[in-house]
Amino acid sequence: MTTNELASLNITGDLARLTLRRPPMNFLSYKMLRQMHEGVLNLGDSPSCRALLLDSETPTFCAGLDMGEHVEETLFLQLEEYHDFVKALNGMALGAGNEIAALCDFVLASEKSTFGQPEINVGSIPTLAPVVLPGLIGGRLALEMILTGKLVPATEAQRIGLIHKAVREEQLNAEVESLLNTIRGLSKSVMALAIESVRHARRRSLEGNLRELQSLYLNQLMDLEDAVEGVNAFVEKRSPKWKHR
């Protein structure tokens, strides 16, 4: 690992581990997303891998996109890289974390964890959740999370289908290992077809929906005065002053 590595991929036997390393909150910058994307693509050189595990060096798995890059010079590149990473990931992982969790095959989390889409609080909208959350938890619950920015405790996230399982923090690693051992005991070739059968329909709709959401974000949201104010307030660490336009 180098000092400027914001996300690192390590492969041990049949497990690849992609670790986020941007303390304290793992805000997703363009550079960090690029390293995450490259890590996923590099799995093609490791055909023996059975699973990709997403985790974090910090207590906060991921706090979303870096709002400091929500300016004209960097926003398009940031969104492009994020959506490219999402399409590359598309259900090939075990993991945790708000929007990214929605694309993981299994999501295990500590009972102390919370999940949310707080973008509305800074005059923004999620760049993935509107596409994937309704299919996971239903349209009304997805809309509630997106419109209110409420945080959902891990036990509630399990109940509504946002995550696979919430466990005590000290049991999390053992639970991950137990799930991995179950996977290891199954036919790799049959499992690959089973996963593909689920991903096929999702893959067809995902790219088009992401492109439409990206257009709305860049061409409509960022034209609003409140969207600009929200970014400025976040960067300046103050409360936004909404003009409602």
Side-chain angles (χ1 to χ4, degrees):
M1 185 180 73
T2 61
T3 56
N4 64 348
E5 201 163 27
L6 303 175
S8 62
L9 180 73
N10 294 290
I11 301 173
T12 305
D14 58 1
L15 176 65
R17 185 184 294 266
L18 183 62
T19 304
L20 309 189
R21 306 179 184 276
R22 195 186 182 202
M25 303 290 285
N26 280 328
F27 282 110
L28 299 173
S29 64
Y30 168 78
K31 183 178 179 181
M32 184 176 182
L33 285 164
R34 185 62 189 165
Q35 292 179 7
M36 293 166 65
H37 186 196
E38 289 173 350
V40 172
L41 294 179
N42 286 339
L43 289 179
D45 297 327
S46 304
S48 63
C49 284
R50 296 295 303 266
L52 169 64
L53 175 64
L54 300 182
D55 68 1
S56 168
E57 278 191 339
T58 68
T60 299
F61 175 78
C62 180
L65 294 177
D66 185 348
M67 296 299 289
E69 292 188 354
H70 272 46
V71 294
E72 185 176 353
E73 295 80 5
T74 55
L75 178 56
F76 176 78
L77 289 175
Q78 185 192 39
L79 289 182
E80 280 281 294
E81 195 59 52
Y82 183 42
H83 289 167
D84 284 346
F85 167 72
V86 165
K87 287 180 283 187
L89 182 65
N90 193 20
M92 65 185 300
L94 309 168
N98 304 334
E99 289 191 316
I100 296 176
L103 287 178
C104 291
D105 291 326
F106 298 96
V107 182
L108 307 176
S110 162
E111 290 177 340
K112 296 180 180 179
S113 301
T114 56
F115 297 81
Q117 300 296 156
E119 290 86 352
I120 196 74
N121 297 316
V122 292
S124 188
I125 60 175
T127 57
L128 176 61
V131 173
V132 295
L133 281 191
L136 282 177
I137 63 176
R140 288 182 176 176
L141 285 177
L143 197 59
E144 181 184 9
M145 290 185 70
I146 292 169
L147 290 184
T148 67
K150 65 177 289 187
L151 293 177
V152 178
T155 52
E156 175 70 4
Q158 177 183 331
R159 187 188 69 80
I160 64 177
L162 180 60
I163 68 172
H164 179 67
K165 195 172 185 179
V167 300
R168 292 201 301 270
E169 187 169 8
E170 63 271 19
Q171 293 181 329
L172 185 56
N173 288 336
E175 194 71 32
V176 170
E177 189 62 27
S178 176
L179 179 56
L180 288 171
N181 286 334
T182 298
I183 292 172
R184 289 173 178 131
L186 302 172
S187 165
K188 184 177 180 179
S189 57
V190 174
M191 178 169 283
L193 286 177
I195 293 174
E196 178 60 25
S197 69
V198 175
R199 292 180 189 163
H200 179 68
R202 183 171 65 187
R203 187 182 299 115
R204 285 192 304 173
S205 62
L206 180 63
E207 185 163 353
N209 288 334
L210 286 178
R211 186 62 58 184
E212 289 183 12
L213 182 56
Q214 183 171 309
S215 176
L216 182 149
Y217 202 102
L218 293 171
N219 299 322
Q220 296 184 52
L221 175 68
M222 297 313 295
D223 280 344
L224 297 177
E225 292 183 38
D226 281 348
V228 176
E229 165 62 11
V231 172
N232 291 338
F234 179 83
V235 172
E236 296 166 9
K237 299 181 180 180
R238 59 174 174 81
S239 297
K241 299 177 181 179
W242 305 127
K243 296 182 179 178
H244 308 292
R245 60 176 186 260

